[in-house]
Amino acid sequence: AGFTPDGAGASSSLVDGGFVAPSSDFAGSLAVRISGGGGGSFASAGTVAHRPAFQVDALDTTGCGDVFHGAYAVALAQGMPLPERVRFASAVAALKATRRGVLSAIPRRNEVDAFLREVRERFFNHIRDERSDVAAATGEFTGFDIRY
């Protein structure tokens, strides 16, 4: 497991179940904890959230933590919001795990973007199919707004 702090003097501490929470000594601190294939947790402004790992067929996980941290730094430098940074870094690490090697296995940005589009499309297709099943079963339209 690793920690990725943001900002000067940021500090984190482990709490129940290995989740991460900002230390009470540092107002506004942020922490991100990764736990391999189980995903990771992130905490900011008193809120703790979990990000499940992307499901991939892993061939080689060597360096995935380092790749996650590097991708997180890129996302931070690009100004992505925290949940998007964690999602992006998780996607980069997941794709790396599908390849043998370390440096040569790091995916290019266009591959990561395509992977995230594919995941999003599968998610929305699944929701659309579920809505269709509910509508067919009940005879009612079940419209709802989902933000991904």
Coordinates of all heavy atoms in Angstrom, one line a residue, residues 17-110:
G17 N -10.3 -0.6 9.2 CA -10.3 -1.3 7.9 C -9.3 -0.9 6.9 O -9.4 -1.2 5.7
G18 N -8.3 -0.1 7.3 CA -7.2 0.3 6.4 C -7.6 1.5 5.6 O -6.8 1.9 4.7
F19 N -8.7 2.1 5.8 CA -9.1 3.3 5.1 C -8.2 4.4 5.6 O -7.6 4.4 6.6 CB -10.5 3.7 5.3 CG -11.5 2.8 4.5 CD1 -12.0 1.7 5.1 CD2 -11.8 3.2 3.2 CE1 -12.9 0.9 4.3 CE2 -12.7 2.4 2.5 CZ -13.2 1.3 3.0
V20 N -8.1 5.5 4.8 CA -7.2 6.6 5.1 C -8.1 7.8 5.4 O -9.1 8.0 4.9 CB -6.4 6.9 3.8 CG1 -5.5 8.1 4.1 CG2 -5.6 5.7 3.4
A21 N -7.6 8.5 6.4 CA -8.3 9.8 6.8 C -7.3 10.8 7.0 O -6.2 10.6 7.4 CB -9.2 9.6 8.0
P22 N -7.6 12.1 6.7 CA -6.7 13.2 7.0 C -6.4 13.2 8.5 O -7.3 13.0 9.3 CB -7.4 14.4 6.5 CG -8.5 13.9 5.6 CD -8.8 12.6 6.1
S23 N -5.2 13.5 8.8 CA -4.8 13.7 10.2 C -5.5 14.9 10.7 O -5.6 16.0 10.0 CB -3.3 13.8 10.3 OG -3.0 14.3 11.6
S24 N -6.0 14.9 11.9 CA -6.7 16.1 12.5 C -5.7 17.2 12.7 O -6.1 18.3 13.0 CB -7.3 15.7 13.8 OG -6.4 15.2 14.7
D25 N -4.4 16.9 12.7 CA -3.4 17.9 12.9 C -3.2 18.8 11.7 O -2.6 19.9 11.8 CB -2.0 17.3 13.2 CG -2.0 16.5 14.5 OD1 -2.9 16.8 15.4 OD2 -1.2 15.6 14.6
F26 N -3.7 18.4 10.5 CA -3.5 19.2 9.3 C -4.8 19.4 8.6 O -5.3 18.6 7.9 CB -2.5 18.5 8.4 CG -1.2 18.3 8.9 CD1 -0.8 17.1 9.6 CD2 -0.2 19.3 8.7 CE1 0.5 17.0 10.1 CE2 1.1 19.1 9.2 CZ 1.4 18.0 10.0
A27 N -5.3 20.6 8.8 CA -6.6 21.0 8.1 C -6.4 21.0 6.6 O -5.4 21.5 6.2 CB -7.1 22.3 8.6
G28 N -7.4 20.4 5.9 CA -7.3 20.5 4.5 C -6.4 19.4 3.9 O -6.0 19.5 2.7
S29 N -5.9 18.5 4.6 CA -4.9 17.5 4.1 C -5.7 16.5 3.2 O -6.9 16.4 3.3 CB -4.2 16.8 5.2 OG -5.0 16.1 6.0
L30 N -5.0 15.8 2.4 CA -5.5 14.8 1.5 C -4.6 13.6 1.5 O -3.4 13.7 1.6 CB -5.6 15.4 0.1 CG -5.9 14.4 -1.0 CD1 -7.4 14.3 -1.2 CD2 -5.2 14.8 -2.3
A31 N -5.2 12.4 1.4 CA -4.4 11.2 1.3 C -5.1 10.2 0.4 O -6.3 10.2 0.3 CB -4.3 10.6 2.7
V32 N -4.3 9.5 -0.3 CA -4.8 8.4 -1.2 C -4.0 7.2 -0.8 O -2.8 7.2 -0.7 CB -4.5 8.8 -2.7 CG1 -4.9 7.6 -3.6 CG2 -5.2 10.1 -3.1
R33 N -4.8 6.1 -0.6 CA -4.1 4.8 -0.3 C -4.5 3.8 -1.4 O -5.7 3.7 -1.7 CB -4.7 4.3 1.0 CG -4.1 3.0 1.5 CD -4.7 2.6 2.8 NE -4.1 1.4 3.3 CZ -4.5 0.1 3.0 NH1 -5.6 0.0 2.3 NH2 -3.9 -0.9 3.5
I34 N -3.5 3.1 -1.9 CA -3.7 2.1 -2.8 C -3.5 0.7 -2.2 O -2.6 0.6 -1.3 CB -2.9 2.2 -4.1 CG1 -1.4 2.3 -3.8 CG2 -3.3 3.5 -4.9 CD1 -0.5 2.3 -5.0
S35 N -4.3 -0.3 -2.6 CA -4.1 -1.6 -2.0 C -4.2 -2.7 -3.1 O -5.0 -3.6 -3.0 CB -5.2 -1.8 -1.0 OG -6.5 -1.6 -1.5
G36 N -3.3 -2.5 -4.1 CA -3.2 -3.5 -5.1 C -4.5 -3.7 -5.9 O -5.3 -2.8 -6.2
G37 N -4.8 -5.0 -6.2 CA -6.0 -5.3 -6.9 C -7.3 -5.0 -6.2 O -8.4 -5.1 -6.8
G38 N -7.3 -4.6 -5.0 CA -8.5 -4.3 -4.2 C -9.0 -2.9 -4.4 O -10.0 -2.5 -3.9
G39 N -8.2 -2.1 -5.2 CA -8.6 -0.7 -5.4 C -7.9 0.2 -4.4 O -6.7 -0.1 -3.9
G40 N -8.5 1.2 -4.0 CA -7.9 2.1 -3.0 C -8.9 3.1 -2.4 O -10.1 3.0 -2.7
S41 N -8.4 3.9 -1.5 CA -9.3 4.8 -0.8 C -8.6 6.2 -0.9 O -7.4 6.3 -1.0 CB -9.4 4.4 0.7 OG -9.9 3.1 0.8
F42 N -9.5 7.2 -0.8 CA -8.9 8.5 -0.8 C -9.8 9.3 0.2 O -10.9 9.1 0.4 CB -8.9 9.2 -2.1 CG -10.1 9.2 -2.9 CD1 -11.0 10.3 -2.9 CD2 -10.5 8.2 -3.7 CE1 -12.1 10.4 -3.6 CE2 -11.7 8.2 -4.4 CZ -12.5 9.3 -4.4
A43 N -9.1 10.3 0.8 CA -9.8 11.1 1.9 C -9.4 12.6 1.7 O -8.2 12.9 1.4 CB -9.4 10.6 3.2
S44 N -10.4 13.4 1.8 CA -10.2 14.9 1.7 C -11.3 15.5 2.4 O -12.5 15.1 2.3 CB -10.1 15.3 0.3 OG -9.9 16.7 0.2
A45 N -11.1 16.6 3.1 CA -12.1 17.4 3.7 C -13.0 16.6 4.6 O -14.3 16.7 4.6 CB -12.9 18.2 2.7
G46 N -12.5 15.6 5.3 CA -13.3 14.8 6.2 C -14.1 13.7 5.6 O -14.9 13.0 6.2
T47 N -14.0 13.5 4.2 CA -14.7 12.5 3.5 C -13.8 11.4 3.1 O -12.7 11.7 2.5 CB -15.4 13.1 2.3 OG1 -16.3 14.2 2.7 CG2 -16.2 12.1 1.5
V48 N -14.2 10.2 3.3 CA -13.4 9.0 2.8 C -14.2 8.3 1.8 O -15.4 8.0 1.9 CB -13.1 8.1 4.0 CG1 -12.4 6.8 3.5 CG2 -12.3 8.8 5.1
A49 N -13.6 7.9 0.7 CA -14.3 7.2 -0.4 C -13.4 6.1 -0.9 O -12.2 6.1 -0.7 CB -14.6 8.2 -1.6
H50 N -14.0 5.1 -1.4 CA -13.3 3.9 -2.0 C -13.5 3.8 -3.5 O -14.5 4.1 -4.0 CB -13.8 2.6 -1.3 CG -13.2 1.4 -1.9 ND1 -11.9 1.0 -1.5 CD2 -13.6 0.4 -2.7 CE1 -11.5 -0.1 -2.1 NE2 -12.5 -0.5 -2.8
R51 N -12.4 3.5 -4.1 CA -12.4 3.4 -5.6 C -12.0 1.9 -5.9 O -10.9 1.5 -5.7 CB -11.4 4.3 -6.2 CG -11.0 4.0 -7.7 CD -12.0 4.6 -8.6 NE -12.0 3.7 -9.8 CZ -12.9 3.6 -10.6 NH1 -14.0 4.2 -10.5 NH2 -12.8 2.8 -11.7
P52 N -13.0 1.1 -6.4 CA -12.7 -0.3 -6.7 C -11.7 -0.3 -7.8 O -11.6 0.6 -8.7 CB -14.0 -0.9 -7.2 CG -15.1 0.1 -6.7 CD -14.4 1.4 -6.6
A53 N -10.9 -1.4 -7.9 CA -9.9 -1.5 -8.9 C -10.7 -1.9 -10.2 O -11.7 -2.5 -10.2 CB -8.9 -2.6 -8.6
F54 N -10.1 -1.5 -11.4 CA -10.7 -2.0 -12.6 C -10.4 -3.5 -12.8 O -9.3 -4.0 -12.4 CB -10.0 -1.2 -13.8 CG -10.4 0.2 -13.9 CD1 -9.6 1.2 -13.5 CD2 -11.7 0.5 -14.5 CE1 -10.0 2.5 -13.6 CE2 -12.1 1.8 -14.6 CZ -11.2 2.8 -14.1
Q55 N -11.3 -4.2 -13.3 CA -11.2 -5.7 -13.4 C -10.5 -5.9 -14.8 O -11.0 -5.6 -15.8 CB -12.5 -6.4 -13.4 CG -13.3 -6.2 -12.1 CD -12.5 -6.8 -10.9 OE1 -12.1 -7.9 -10.9 NE2 -12.2 -6.0 -9.9
V56 N -9.3 -6.5 -14.7 CA -8.5 -6.8 -15.9 C -7.8 -8.2 -15.7 O -7.7 -8.6 -14.5 CB -7.4 -5.7 -16.2 CG1 -8.0 -4.4 -16.5 CG2 -6.4 -5.6 -15.0
D57 N -7.4 -8.8 -16.7 CA -6.6 -10.0 -16.6 C -5.2 -9.6 -16.5 O -4.5 -9.3 -17.4 CB -6.8 -10.9 -17.9 CG -8.2 -11.4 -18.0 OD1 -8.8 -11.7 -17.0 OD2 -8.7 -11.5 -19.2
A58 N -4.7 -9.7 -15.2 CA -3.3 -9.2 -14.9 C -2.3 -10.3 -15.3 O -2.5 -11.5 -15.0 CB -3.2 -8.9 -13.4
L59 N -1.3 -9.8 -16.0 CA -0.1 -10.7 -16.3 C 1.1 -10.4 -15.5 O 1.8 -11.3 -15.1 CB 0.3 -10.4 -17.8 CG -0.7 -10.9 -18.9 CD1 -0.2 -10.5 -20.3 CD2 -1.0 -12.4 -18.8
D60 N 1.3 -9.1 -15.1 CA 2.5 -8.7 -14.4 C 2.2 -7.4 -13.6 O 2.0 -6.4 -14.2 CB 3.6 -8.5 -15.3 CG 4.9 -8.2 -14.7 OD1 5.0 -8.1 -13.4 OD2 6.0 -8.0 -15.4
T61 N 2.1 -7.5 -12.3 CA 1.8 -6.4 -11.5 C 3.1 -5.6 -11.0 O 2.9 -4.7 -10.2 CB 1.0 -6.8 -10.2 OG1 1.7 -7.7 -9.4 CG2 -0.4 -7.4 -10.7
T62 N 4.2 -6.1 -11.4 CA 5.5 -5.4 -11.0 C 5.4 -3.9 -11.5 O 5.2 -3.6 -12.6 CB 6.7 -6.1 -11.7 OG1 6.7 -7.5 -11.4 CG2 8.0 -5.4 -11.2
G63 N 5.6 -3.0 -10.5 CA 5.6 -1.6 -10.8 C 4.3 -0.9 -10.9 O 4.2 0.3 -11.2
C64 N 3.2 -1.6 -10.7 CA 1.9 -1.0 -10.8 C 1.7 0.1 -9.8 O 1.1 1.1 -10.1 CB 0.8 -2.1 -10.6 SG 0.5 -3.1 -12.1
G65 N 2.2 0.0 -8.6 CA 2.1 1.0 -7.6 C 2.8 2.3 -8.0 O 2.3 3.4 -7.9
D66 N 4.0 2.1 -8.6 CA 4.8 3.2 -9.1 C 4.1 3.9 -10.3 O 4.1 5.1 -10.4 CB 6.2 2.8 -9.5 CG 7.0 2.3 -8.3 OD1 6.9 2.9 -7.2 OD2 7.9 1.4 -8.5
V67 N 3.6 3.1 -11.1 CA 2.8 3.6 -12.3 C 1.6 4.4 -11.8 O 1.3 5.5 -12.3 CB 2.4 2.5 -13.2 CG1 1.4 2.9 -14.3 CG2 3.7 1.9 -13.9
F68 N 0.9 3.9 -10.8 CA -0.2 4.6 -10.2 C 0.2 6.0 -9.8 O -0.4 7.0 -10.1 CB -0.9 3.8 -9.1 CG -2.0 4.6 -8.4 CD1 -3.3 4.4 -8.8 CD2 -1.7 5.5 -7.4 CE1 -4.3 5.1 -8.1 CE2 -2.7 6.2 -6.7 CZ -4.0 6.0 -7.1
H69 N 1.3 6.0 -9.0 CA 1.7 7.3 -8.4 C 2.2 8.3 -9.5 O 1.9 9.5 -9.4 CB 2.9 7.1 -7.4 CG 2.4 6.5 -6.1 ND1 2.5 5.1 -5.9 CD2 1.8 7.1 -5.0 CE1 2.0 4.9 -4.7 NE2 1.6 6.1 -4.1
G70 N 2.8 7.8 -10.5 CA 3.2 8.6 -11.6 C 2.0 9.2 -12.4 O 2.0 10.4 -12.7
A71 N 1.0 8.3 -12.6 CA -0.2 8.8 -13.3 C -1.0 9.8 -12.5 O -1.5 10.7 -13.0 CB -1.0 7.6 -13.7
Y72 N -1.0 9.5 -11.2 CA -1.6 10.4 -10.2 C -1.0 11.8 -10.3 O -1.7 12.8 -10.3 CB -1.6 9.9 -8.8 CG -2.3 10.7 -7.8 CD1 -3.7 10.5 -7.5 CD2 -1.7 11.8 -7.2 CE1 -4.4 11.3 -6.6 CE2 -2.4 12.6 -6.3 CZ -3.7 12.3 -6.0 OH -4.4 13.1 -5.1
A73 N 0.3 11.8 -10.3 CA 1.1 13.1 -10.4 C 0.7 13.8 -11.7 O 0.6 15.1 -11.7 CB 2.6 12.9 -10.3
V74 N 0.6 13.1 -12.8 CA 0.3 13.7 -14.1 C -1.1 14.3 -14.0 O -1.4 15.5 -14.4 CB 0.3 12.7 -15.2 CG1 -0.4 13.2 -16.5 CG2 1.7 12.3 -15.5
A75 N -2.1 13.6 -13.4 CA -3.5 14.0 -13.3 C -3.5 15.3 -12.4 O -4.3 16.2 -12.7 CB -4.3 12.9 -12.8
L76 N -2.8 15.3 -11.3 CA -2.7 16.4 -10.4 C -2.2 17.6 -11.1 O -2.8 18.7 -11.0 CB -1.8 16.1 -9.2 CG -1.6 17.2 -8.2 CD1 -3.0 17.5 -7.5 CD2 -0.6 16.7 -7.1
A77 N -1.1 17.5 -11.9 CA -0.5 18.6 -12.6 C -1.5 19.1 -13.7 O -1.4 20.3 -14.0 CB 0.8 18.1 -13.3
Q78 N -2.3 18.3 -14.2 CA -3.3 18.7 -15.2 C -4.6 19.3 -14.6 O -5.5 19.7 -15.3 CB -3.7 17.5 -16.1 CG -2.6 17.1 -17.0 CD -2.9 15.9 -17.9 OE1 -3.9 15.2 -17.7 NE2 -2.1 15.7 -18.9
G79 N -4.6 19.3 -13.2 CA -5.7 19.9 -12.6 C -7.0 19.1 -12.5 O -8.1 19.6 -12.2
M80 N -6.9 17.8 -12.6 CA -8.1 16.9 -12.5 C -8.6 17.0 -11.1 O -7.8 17.0 -10.1 CB -7.8 15.5 -12.9 CG -7.5 15.3 -14.4 SD -7.2 13.5 -14.6 CE -6.5 13.5 -16.2
P81 N -9.9 16.9 -10.9 CA -10.5 16.8 -9.5 C -10.1 15.5 -8.9 O -9.8 14.5 -9.6 CB -12.0 16.8 -9.7 CG -12.2 17.2 -11.1 CD -10.9 17.0 -11.9
L82 N -10.1 15.4 -7.6 CA -9.6 14.2 -6.9 C -10.2 12.9 -7.4 O -9.4 12.0 -7.7 CB -9.8 14.3 -5.4 CG -9.4 13.1 -4.5 CD1 -8.0 12.8 -4.7 CD2 -9.8 13.4 -3.1
P83 N -11.5 12.7 -7.5 CA -12.0 11.4 -7.9 C -11.5 11.0 -9.3 O -11.2 9.9 -9.6 CB -13.5 11.6 -7.9 CG -13.8 12.7 -6.9 CD -12.6 13.6 -7.1
E84 N -11.4 12.0 -10.2 CA -10.9 11.8 -11.5 C -9.5 11.4 -11.6 O -9.0 10.6 -12.3 CB -11.2 13.0 -12.4 CG -11.0 12.8 -13.9 CD -11.4 14.0 -14.7 OE1 -12.2 14.8 -14.3 OE2 -10.8 14.1 -15.8
R85 N -8.7 12.0 -10.7 CA -7.2 11.7 -10.6 C -7.1 10.2 -10.2 O -6.3 9.5 -10.8 CB -6.5 12.6 -9.5 CG -6.3 14.0 -9.9 CD -5.3 14.7 -9.0 NE -5.7 14.7 -7.6 CZ -6.2 15.8 -7.0 NH1 -6.5 16.9 -7.6 NH2 -6.5 15.7 -5.7
V86 N -7.8 9.8 -9.2 CA -7.7 8.4 -8.7 C -8.2 7.5 -9.8 O -7.6 6.4 -10.0 CB -8.5 8.3 -7.4 CG1 -8.5 6.8 -6.9 CG2 -7.9 9.1 -6.3
R87 N -9.3 7.8 -10.5 CA -9.8 7.0 -11.5 C -8.8 6.8 -12.7 O -8.5 5.7 -13.2 CB -11.1 7.5 -12.1 CG -11.8 6.7 -13.1 CD -13.2 7.3 -13.4 NE -13.9 6.5 -14.4 CZ -13.8 6.7 -15.7 NH1 -13.2 7.7 -16.2 NH2 -14.5 5.9 -16.5
F88 N -8.2 8.0 -13.1 CA -7.2 8.0 -14.1 C -6.0 7.1 -13.7 O -5.5 6.3 -14.5 CB -6.8 9.4 -14.5 CG -5.7 9.5 -15.5 CD1 -5.9 9.4 -16.8 CD2 -4.3 9.7 -15.1 CE1 -4.9 9.5 -17.8 CE2 -3.3 9.8 -16.0 CZ -3.6 9.7 -17.3
A89 N -5.4 7.3 -12.6 CA -4.3 6.6 -12.1 C -4.6 5.1 -12.0 O -3.7 4.3 -12.3 CB -3.8 7.2 -10.8
S90 N -5.8 4.8 -11.5 CA -6.2 3.4 -11.4 C -6.2 2.7 -12.8 O -5.8 1.6 -13.0 CB -7.5 3.3 -10.7 OG -7.5 3.7 -9.4
A91 N -6.7 3.5 -13.8 CA -6.8 2.9 -15.1 C -5.4 2.7 -15.7 O -5.2 1.7 -16.4 CB -7.6 3.9 -16.0
V92 N -4.5 3.6 -15.5 CA -3.1 3.5 -16.0 C -2.5 2.2 -15.4 O -1.9 1.4 -16.1 CB -2.3 4.7 -15.7 CG1 -0.8 4.5 -16.2 CG2 -2.9 5.9 -16.5
A93 N -2.6 2.1 -14.1 CA -2.1 0.9 -13.4 C -2.7 -0.4 -13.8 O -2.0 -1.4 -14.0 CB -2.2 1.1 -11.9
A94 N -4.0 -0.4 -14.0 CA -4.7 -1.6 -14.5 C -4.2 -2.0 -15.9 O -3.9 -3.2 -16.1 CB -6.2 -1.3 -14.5
L95 N -4.1 -1.0 -16.8 CA -3.6 -1.4 -18.1 C -2.1 -1.9 -18.1 O -1.8 -2.8 -18.8 CB -3.7 -0.2 -19.0 CG -5.1 0.2 -19.5 CD1 -5.1 1.5 -20.3 CD2 -5.6 -1.0 -20.4
K96 N -1.3 -1.3 -17.2 CA 0.1 -1.8 -17.1 C 0.1 -3.2 -16.6 O 0.9 -4.0 -17.1 CB 0.8 -0.9 -16.1 CG 2.3 -1.2 -15.9 CD 2.5 -2.3 -14.9 CE 3.8 -3.0 -15.0 NZ 3.7 -4.4 -15.2
A97 N -0.8 -3.6 -15.7 CA -0.9 -4.9 -15.2 C -1.2 -6.0 -16.3 O -0.9 -7.2 -16.1 CB -1.9 -5.0 -14.1
T98 N -1.8 -5.6 -17.4 CA -2.1 -6.5 -18.4 C -1.0 -6.8 -19.3 O -1.1 -7.6 -20.3 CB -3.3 -6.0 -19.3 OG1 -2.9 -4.8 -20.0 CG2 -4.5 -5.7 -18.5
R99 N 0.2 -6.2 -19.0 CA 1.4 -6.4 -19.9 C 2.6 -6.8 -19.1 O 2.7 -6.5 -17.9 CB 1.7 -5.1 -20.6 CG 0.6 -4.5 -21.4 CD 0.8 -3.1 -21.7 NE -0.4 -2.6 -22.5 CZ -0.5 -1.4 -22.9 NH1 0.5 -0.5 -22.7 NH2 -1.6 -1.0 -23.6
R100 N 3.5 -7.5 -19.7 CA 4.7 -8.0 -19.0 C 5.7 -6.8 -19.1 O 5.8 -6.1 -20.1 CB 5.3 -9.2 -19.6 CG 4.3 -10.4 -19.4 CD 5.0 -11.7 -19.6 NE 4.1 -12.8 -19.6 CZ 3.5 -13.3 -18.5 NH1 3.8 -12.8 -17.3 NH2 2.7 -14.3 -18.6
G101 N 6.5 -6.7 -18.0 CA 7.6 -5.7 -18.0 C 7.1 -4.5 -17.2 O 6.1 -4.5 -16.5
V102 N 8.0 -3.5 -17.2 CA 7.7 -2.3 -16.3 C 7.6 -1.1 -17.2 O 6.6 -0.7 -17.6 CB 8.8 -2.2 -15.2 CG1 8.4 -1.0 -14.4 CG2 8.8 -3.4 -14.3
L103 N 8.8 -0.5 -17.6 CA 8.7 0.7 -18.4 C 8.0 0.5 -19.7 O 7.2 1.3 -20.2 CB 10.1 1.3 -18.6 CG 10.8 1.8 -17.3 CD1 12.2 2.3 -17.6 CD2 10.0 2.9 -16.7
S104 N 8.4 -0.6 -20.4 CA 7.8 -0.9 -21.7 C 6.3 -1.2 -21.6 O 5.6 -1.1 -22.6 CB 8.5 -2.0 -22.4 OG 8.3 -3.2 -21.7
A105 N 5.8 -1.5 -20.4 CA 4.4 -1.9 -20.2 C 3.5 -0.7 -19.8 O 2.3 -0.9 -19.8 CB 4.3 -3.0 -19.1
I106 N 4.1 0.5 -19.6 CA 3.3 1.6 -19.2 C 2.5 2.1 -20.4 O 3.0 2.3 -21.5 CB 4.2 2.8 -18.7 CG1 4.9 2.3 -17.5 CG2 3.3 4.0 -18.4 CD1 6.0 3.3 -17.0
P107 N 1.2 2.2 -20.3 CA 0.3 2.5 -21.5 C 0.5 4.0 -21.9 O 0.8 4.8 -21.0 CB -1.1 2.3 -21.0 CG -1.0 2.4 -19.5 CD 0.3 1.9 -19.1
R108 N 0.3 4.2 -23.1 CA 0.2 5.6 -23.6 C -1.1 6.3 -23.3 O -2.1 5.6 -23.0 CB 0.5 5.6 -25.1 CG 1.8 5.1 -25.5 CD 2.1 5.4 -27.0 NE 3.4 4.9 -27.4 CZ 4.5 5.6 -27.2 NH1 4.4 6.8 -26.7 NH2 5.7 5.2 -27.6
R109 N -1.1 7.6 -23.3 CA -2.3 8.3 -22.9 C -3.5 8.0 -23.8 O -4.6 7.8 -23.3 CB -2.0 9.9 -23.0 CG -3.2 10.7 -22.6 CD -3.6 10.5 -21.2 NE -4.8 11.3 -20.8 CZ -4.7 12.4 -20.1 NH1 -3.5 12.9 -19.7 NH2 -5.8 13.0 -19.8
N110 N -3.3 7.8 -25.1 CA -4.5 7.5 -25.9 C -5.0 6.1 -25.6 O -6.2 5.9 -25.7 CB -4.1 7.6 -27.4 CG -3.0 6.6 -27.8 OD1 -2.2 6.2 -27.0 ND2 -3.0 6.2 -29.1

